[in-house]
Amino acid sequence: MDFVLISSIGAVFMAIFVMFIRMKASKKPASAKKIILPPIFMSTGALMFVVPYFRVTPMEILEAATVGMLFSVLLIKTSSFEIRDSEIYLKRSKAFALILIGLLVIRFIGKMVLSSSIDYGQLSGMFWILAFSMVVPWRIAMYMNYRKLHQELYDTGNSKTT
């Protein structure tokens, strides 16, 4: 039970950190690199599955990935870009912070309920899969939206110069 509490406290601090990063990111122009790199960096966490303690069953993988992809829809809906000063910026969304807090609460409740029936290592692996399955579709959607706006900006720039 101590692991669950400690990891939940860690998750709260990570969520606060993400909110600050998101607010800071909206002040600077977006780039493809800033959108693509976080899931790549996060993918190194898959090395946890080398250790037998963290391995999950195929059904647990499917469950965690499905929930993660469902949660990603909320993040996709609250992430959009805008063109300002001939640059592409991430729009601020008050709903994003609320959704992030809601996801954190759901995660905490899920951890409390599931920790009594699933080993802590497996549960950790499942939550990593859930998070990765949430971040990857979200970032893909962000990248597609970014590319669309980038193309519009580029087309508008070309039409003005000719």
Side-chain angles (χ1 to χ4, degrees):
M1 191 65 164
D2 293 332
F3 287 132
V4 174
L5 183 61
I6 291 168
S7 64
S8 296
I9 291 169
V12 168
F13 285 112
M14 296 240 341
I16 292 168
F17 179 69
V18 167
M19 282 189 246
F20 280 115
I21 287 178
R22 176 77 184 247
M23 288 188 300
K24 191 176 175 182
S26 66
K27 295 178 183 176
K28 296 179 183 177
S31 71
K33 187 168 91 171
K34 290 178 184 177
I35 296 168
I36 294 170
L37 286 178
I40 293 171
F41 295 146
M42 187 181 175
S43 69
T44 61
L47 289 172
M48 73 190 304
F49 297 112
V50 170
V51 179
Y53 182 66
F54 296 105
R55 291 192 186 141
V56 294
T57 66
M59 190 58 163
E60 290 168 339
I61 293 169
L62 182 63
E63 291 168 354
T66 301
V67 172
M69 286 187 262
L70 288 173
F71 285 167
S72 74
V73 173
L74 298 171
L75 296 174
I76 291 167
K77 295 283 186 194
T78 59
S79 299
S80 61
F81 294 98
E82 63 185 349
I83 297 173
R84 282 188 271 147
D85 304 322
S86 299
E87 297 278 358
I88 301 171
Y89 288 85
L90 187 61
K91 277 188 185 177
R92 274 196 175 181
S93 170
K94 291 177 185 171
F96 180 81
L98 294 174
I99 288 170
L100 197 61
I101 291 167
L103 291 174
L104 187 64
V105 169
I106 291 168
R107 178 180 182 217
F108 180 74
I109 292 168
K111 216 176 228 190
M112 296 304 284
V113 170
L114 295 172
S115 66
S116 62
S117 61
I118 299 175
D119 183 55
Y120 180 75
Q122 283 180 290
L123 193 58
S124 298
M126 287 179 70
F127 275 104
W128 182 88
I129 293 167
L130 186 150
F132 193 70
S133 300
M134 184 171 59
V135 168
V136 170
W138 173 43
R139 291 300 177 137
I140 289 170
M142 284 178 70
Y143 180 74
M144 290 169 50
N145 290 336
Y146 172 82
R147 292 300 303 164
K148 183 179 166 188
L149 265 182
H150 188 270
Q151 190 62 41
E152 284 177 27
L153 190 60
Y154 179 75
D155 289 346
T156 305
N158 276 346
S159 64
K160 288 181 181 177
T161 58
T162 55

